[in-house]
Amino acid sequence: FFHRPHMLLLSASSCFAPATELRCRGCHGSGGGTFRCGRISMGSAALSGEAAEEAYWRAWFWDKASEAVEEQFASAGKRALRRVREYIKVNRGDVAQGMPKKLRKHPHYEVVGGYFPGLSATPFLDASAAPFDAIRRAAPAIREELDGLLAREAEFEDIGKPLGWRTMPIYYRGERQASFPAEECPQTMGALGKLRLAGETVAFQRQSPGTGLPRHVDPCSWVVACHVGMVCPTGEEGGETPYISVAGEKYHWREGEVMVFDPS
């Protein structure tokens, strides 16, 4: 580890959403892989029966969702729920072209799970103000606690062989993970508790030297991802430092710096 430094991040998704590239180099000048987020298309070989069954259950789910919304918010005016109703129609398939034309034609934009209307499609978002400023202030303390966890090599789960992406989950689908030693990380847990966001996934993540993630896109337009650089190798002999490219815009991770991006 100390001879070929990994890159480590504190990563959080708040609720899943234009394309992304990552390159991580080891200190011996090993070549970097790429993490690019772009278009994903479904294969056309699905049987017609499977397609019909999928359509049936999709319609059933969104019918139930519509009923629940109307029941829960019966007193809300039409304007208050306009975008929610439009979201249901788009994802149920009632609207042939749910996304605005400029997004449908955008070469770097793809929503494969759920499009929520009226949200911006900006590669990188402002992370200078609340709630992310609290994470920035806590970054040095979080780094100290991470240093104490690095000896737990086995507890970083390998989720992408041979991509080199490993994770130590803190929250998954909004639930705190029992395997994470929260009692050893009071500053980290305290900072996360102050975010007041509908957190979906939070984890310490590490990228091995000379590796990268393939081009991909996250499924929904209504989630943003937040990264905080913990250990970020410097480029050797003028080489490029680890980066992520979202819709063609590069961001180079820096230790202690908070970055928020739209993964759709």
Side-chain angles (χ1 to χ4, degrees):
F1 174 79
F2 292 103
H3 292 289
R4 301 192 62 193
H6 293 55
M7 176 181 65
L8 292 112
L9 306 168
L10 175 64
S11 169
S13 297
S14 178
C15 283
F16 275 103
T20 310
E21 172 177 351
L22 174 151
R23 185 176 297 271
C24 181
R25 294 182 178 274
C27 69
H28 292 302
S30 56
T34 60
F35 163 46
R36 298 177 183 171
C37 179
R39 305 186 69 84
I40 293 179
S41 60
M42 298 296 291
S44 59
L47 298 176
S48 58
E50 293 176 344
E53 183 177 5
E54 180 181 349
Y56 171 83
W57 287 112
R58 172 181 286 270
W60 178 89
F61 174 85
W62 289 108
D63 284 343
K64 294 297 182 182
S66 179
E67 292 172 8
V69 167
E70 298 303 332
E71 179 181 349
Q72 183 72 22
F73 302 100
S75 61
K78 290 185 177 180
R79 184 173 182 180
L81 292 176
R82 179 180 57 83
R83 289 199 299 158
V84 174
R85 294 190 177 104
E86 185 180 345
Y87 170 74
I88 292 173
K89 287 182 179 180
V90 169
N91 291 284
R92 187 168 52 192
D94 297 348
V95 182
Q97 300 290 351
M99 287 192 295
K101 184 177 180 180
K102 68 177 182 179
L103 290 184
R104 296 200 309 269
K105 301 290 186 180
H106 198 296
H108 297 299
Y109 192 83
E110 181 78 17
V111 172
V112 297
Y115 171 75
F116 196 93
L119 300 178
S120 64
T122 305
F124 295 100
L125 293 84
D126 181 17
S128 62
F132 303 107
D133 54 343
I135 291 292
R136 182 183 300 101
R137 291 193 298 269
I142 294 173
R143 168 63 190 273
E144 284 187 22
E145 292 177 345
L146 173 62
D147 288 341
L149 298 178
L150 291 181
R152 302 170 177 266
E153 180 70 24
E155 295 187 22
F156 278 88
E157 303 172 11
D158 196 335
I159 58 174
K161 287 184 178 180
L163 306 175
W165 188 253
R166 307 186 70 196
T167 182
M168 181 184 285
I170 303 174
Y171 285 91
Y172 182 66
R173 294 183 176 178
E175 296 290 332
R176 201 182 91 182
Q177 298 300 286
S179 60
F180 182 75
E183 69 282 356
E184 299 178 31
C185 303
Q187 298 298 322
T188 300
M189 302 308 294
L192 294 174
K194 296 176 182 178
L195 281 180
R196 300 187 57 145
L197 294 174
E200 213 266 355
T201 301
V202 182
F204 284 117
Q205 297 176 319
R206 62 192 304 173
Q207 182 76 42
S208 300
T211 65
L213 300 186
R215 176 181 297 189
H216 78 283
V217 61
D218 281 349
C220 303
S221 70
W222 37 268
V223 167
V224 295
C226 171
H227 285 181
V228 185
M230 292 282 105
V231 179
C232 304
T234 57
E236 186 183 74
E237 298 178 358
E240 193 161 26
T241 58
Y243 68 80
I244 185 171
S245 174
V246 184
E249 295 184 27
K250 279 187 179 182
Y251 169 82
H252 293 260
W253 284 286
R254 288 178 285 273
E255 295 182 6
E257 185 170 287
V258 179
M259 179 270 285
V260 179
F261 70 101
D262 177 346
S264 70

